[in-house]
Structures are given as structure tokens and as C-alpha cells.
């Protein structure tokens, strides 16, 4: 049985998180919410999908995180001609010059790293996209009947461009569900954009210091699991996820709100599965720890409901016709489930 952490241990771990955020800020101007959600996914042991138009610093953000963490970092630019073996690896024929014998040897691909940047994941065909499925879920790679373990920790950060649809392959729902968070990267404010221009057009390049290594991250991931999550919050999360399913229609404590149920059935073709509830609980715990708390609150759930659910909801044609977004529907679910039950 593990020894409970002392107050000094907790303060040291929280100080590391503060230092990590400050290190990333050395190179990334603004984007505080994006950085926070990125760190939440890391602490929760999940993967993150970043979506934004070109030039918003998505790749810089991930690269800065890799520099701040003393972890192996690889970047893969996904293209239409990329093959699964380019991701997971392949077998090569080697000859022993002493005996003359030949044998196949597995050559690991770039997925064998701790921090993997999958740049423009939606530009590669489904066959290559699926090569990441086992790695993301099981943290292993199977090739020629042999299972190879990936390093720990293992963190996939994928990016995609929402405005370019020509020559892209939308990620299937099964693969989207493997991402803990779907993070939207928006344009910076005027002051932030000015700072970006100043910082990137001068003679001094921003240096990101190394803050922590793999052992510290694994310890923090274990600490996230220990964060308290009350039974009332667990009930709210369960009802929130179930309320997103048109087939279920439950929105409250055993009661059914007919108006809310009608909206869900009108706007959604399919709702979130149980993995959404698991992700929301873990993400809320990670956010609480990131803010220096050892207990999650309703505010943590509210702050992370959209990043957890937006990629797990399949909108109907009616929702698209009425220009309803997944975030609009998540806000409706929060209003009808979380706050109506309070």
C-alpha cells in the first residue's frame, strides 16, 4: 500500500506544474486555455486533438511542450502517400556477416517515442490513420504476430485544419473517441498578436527550459487518480453523458424533460459513449490538480465538457441546417442536466 503524500510533496509537485506552464510561455504567446487543456490531457494520461487554421502555433505549442519535458519527441507530417509501416515500423532483412545467416529484424517507427506529434492527421488515408489506433488505446504495437510495448508515458498530439477539406480524410468516430480532448485553437487577441510578431521577427529566439522528465509525469498521472471526485459529481457526469444519446432521452434525476429530449433527438444522430464519462472524470481531476486542488468541482466539469464531448457527438442534418455546433448542444446539455439538477 502506497504511503500518502505529505504536504511538502504535494507543494513540490504543484510547483513543477507552475514551472512547466511558465516554460511553455517562453515560446508560446497567449493561448492560456489551449495550454491548460494540453497539460490536462497529459496529466490524465490521454491524447489530444488540436484543431485550428494554419499559422496559429499548433506545431510550436507541441514542440515547446516537448522541449519543456525531458522526453523523446518525434514529429510525423501526415501526407496522402504515408503508409502504416512509416508510422509503426517494419521488418528489415539483416545478414550476419560472420555466419552468413539472414533474419528479419523489426525496425521501430516514429510511434516508438513518448511524445508524438501527428501533424495534419486528417491528410492521410484511413488505413494509415488506423495504424495509430492500437498505439493510442493499448500503448502497444503489433507487427508480424509480435506485440511491442511503447515507452511510458506515451502521449499523442494530433493536429488538423478545419477549413481545408479538399484532399483530406475525416477521422472516423472510433478513432476520434480515442482522443481525451478535442481542443479548438482560436485567433489571438490584438495585444497577443503584436507580441507574437515582435517575438518571431527579432534576433533572439525563445528558449524553452527543460522542467521535468518521464518519472515526474508518471507520478503526477498517478496523483490525478487520487483526486477526490464526489458522488454528486459522478451522478451529474453520468446523466450528462446519457442525456446526449437520442435513444435514451434521460436528462434529470429519473425524470425526462420533454423539451430537452426533443432537442437532443432533433440535433443529434448519435451521442457519447461511456468513454466520454471516463474522460470527463479524469480531465476534471487533472484540472483540479493543475489548479492546486485535491478535489474536483462542478466548475471543472463545466470547463471541460465541450473539449471532452464535442468530437463524440454526431450531429444531425437538422443541426447542420440550423447552424448548430457541437458546442451549442453541449451548452444545452449542461443547462438542462448540471444546473437544472442543482
Amino acid at each position: 500500500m502506497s504511503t500518502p503524500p505529505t504536504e511538502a510533496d504535494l507543494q513540490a509537485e504543484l510547483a513543477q506544474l507552475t514551472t512547466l506552464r511558465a516554460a511553455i510561455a517562453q515560446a508560446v504567446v497567449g493561448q492560456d486555455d489551449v495550454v491548460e487543456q494540453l497539460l490536462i490531457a497529459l496529466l490524465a494520461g490521454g491524447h489530444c486533438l488540436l484543431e485550428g487554421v494554419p499559422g496559429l502555433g499548433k506545431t510550436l505549442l507541441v514542440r515547446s511542450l516537448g522541449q519543456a519535458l525531458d522526453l523523446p519527441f518525434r514529429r510525423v507530417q501526415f501526407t496522402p502517400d504515408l503508409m502504416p509501416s512509416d508510422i509503426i515500423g517494419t521488418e528489415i532483412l539483416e545478414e550476419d556477416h560472420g555466419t552468413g545467416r539472414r533474419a528479419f529484424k523489426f525496425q521501430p517507427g516514429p510511434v516508438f517515442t513518448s511524445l508524438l506529434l501527428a501533424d495534419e492527421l486528417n491528410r492521410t488515408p484511413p488505413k494509415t490513420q488506423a495504424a495509430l489506433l492500437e498505439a493510442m488505446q493499448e500503448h502497444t504495437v503489433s507487427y508480424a504476430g509480435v506485440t511491442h510495448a511503447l515507452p511510458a508515458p506515451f502521449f499523442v498530439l494530433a493536429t488538423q485544419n478545419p477549413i481545408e477539406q479538399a484532399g483530406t480524410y475525416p477521422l472516423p468516430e472510433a478513432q476520434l473517441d480515442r482522443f481525451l480532448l478535442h481542443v479548438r485553437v482560436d485567433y489571438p487577441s490584438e495585444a497577443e498578436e503584436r507580441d507574437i510578431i515582435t517575438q518571431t521577427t527579432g534576433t533572439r529566439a525563445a528558449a524553452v527550459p527543460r522542467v521535468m522528465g518521464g518519472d515526474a509525469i508518471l507520478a503526477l498521472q498517478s496523483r490525478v487518480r487520487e483526486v477526490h471526485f464526489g458522488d454528486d459529481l459522478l451522478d451529474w457526469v453520468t446523466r450528462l453523458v446519457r442525456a446526449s444519446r437520442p435513444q435514451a432521452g434521460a436528462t434529470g434525476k429519473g425524470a425526462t424533460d420533454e423539451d430537452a429530449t426533443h432537442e437532443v433527438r432533433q440535433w443529434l444522430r448519435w451521442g457519447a459513449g461511456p468513454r466520454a464519462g471516463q474522460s470527463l472524470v479524469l480531465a476534471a481531476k487533472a484540472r483540479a490538480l493543475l489548479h492546486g486542488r485535491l478535489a474536483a468541482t462542478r466548475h471543472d466539469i463545466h470547463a471541460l465538457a465541450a473539449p471532452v464531448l464535442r468530437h463524440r457527438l454526431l450531429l444531425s442534418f437538422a443541426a447542420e441546417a440550423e447552424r448548430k455546433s457541437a458546442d451549442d448542444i453541449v451548452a444545452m446539455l449542461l443547462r438542462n442536466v448540471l444546473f437544472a439538477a442543482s
Side-chain angles (χ1 to χ4, degrees), residues 40-201:
I40 286 171
L42 176 65
L43 293 177
H47 309 291
C48 200
L49 177 64
L50 280 77
E51 182 177 271
V53 299
L56 295 185
K58 300 185 295 298
T59 303
L60 173 64
L61 175 59
V62 178
R63 189 177 296 277
S64 300
L65 177 63
Q67 292 172 347
L69 301 176
D70 190 14
L71 293 173
F73 169 72
R74 303 288 289 273
R75 175 182 180 270
V76 178
Q77 181 66 49
F78 281 76
T79 56
D81 60 346
L82 202 69
M83 299 297 292
S85 58
D86 297 326
I87 306 298
I88 64 175
T90 186
E91 286 187 334
I92 58 175
L93 185 62
E94 287 191 343
E95 180 178 350
D96 188 330
H97 296 289
T99 63
R101 292 182 178 178
R102 295 181 179 182
F104 283 100
K105 180 182 178 181
F106 180 71
Q107 183 68 30
V111 75
F112 284 84
T113 186
S114 289
L115 185 60
L116 176 67
L117 171 57
D119 223 349
E120 295 189 291
L121 183 58
N122 61 333
R123 285 204 173 277
T124 200
K127 183 178 181 180
T128 306
Q129 292 174 354
L132 282 177
L133 272 175
E134 181 188 357
M136 292 173 64
Q137 184 63 28
E138 307 296 338
H139 292 193
T140 60
V141 166
S142 298
Y143 191 94
V146 180
T147 300
H148 305 271
L150 295 173
F154 177 66
F155 188 32
V156 174
L157 293 128
T159 68
Q160 67 177 11
N161 183 350
I163 61 174
E164 292 184 19
Q165 300 303 322
T168 61
Y169 304 84
L171 293 172
E173 283 71 20
Q175 185 151 6
L176 285 172
D177 198 35
R178 263 64 176 187
F179 287 100
L180 182 84
L181 300 180
H182 179 186
V183 180
R184 295 261 172 85
V185 185
D186 295 324
Y187 288 105
S189 65
E190 182 176 352
E192 291 172 346
E193 191 160 354
R194 185 182 185 278
D195 291 340
I196 291 171
I197 296 172
T198 302
Q199 181 172 303
T200 56
T201 57

Side-chain angles (χ1 to χ4, degrees), residues 204-228:
R204 295 182 59 185
V208 180
R210 294 197 179 276
V211 175
M212 65 176 71
D215 291 340
I217 294 170
L218 291 174
L220 286 168
Q221 289 178 349
S222 298
R223 189 75 67 222
V224 165
R225 300 263 176 174
E226 299 171 2
V227 172
H228 178 71

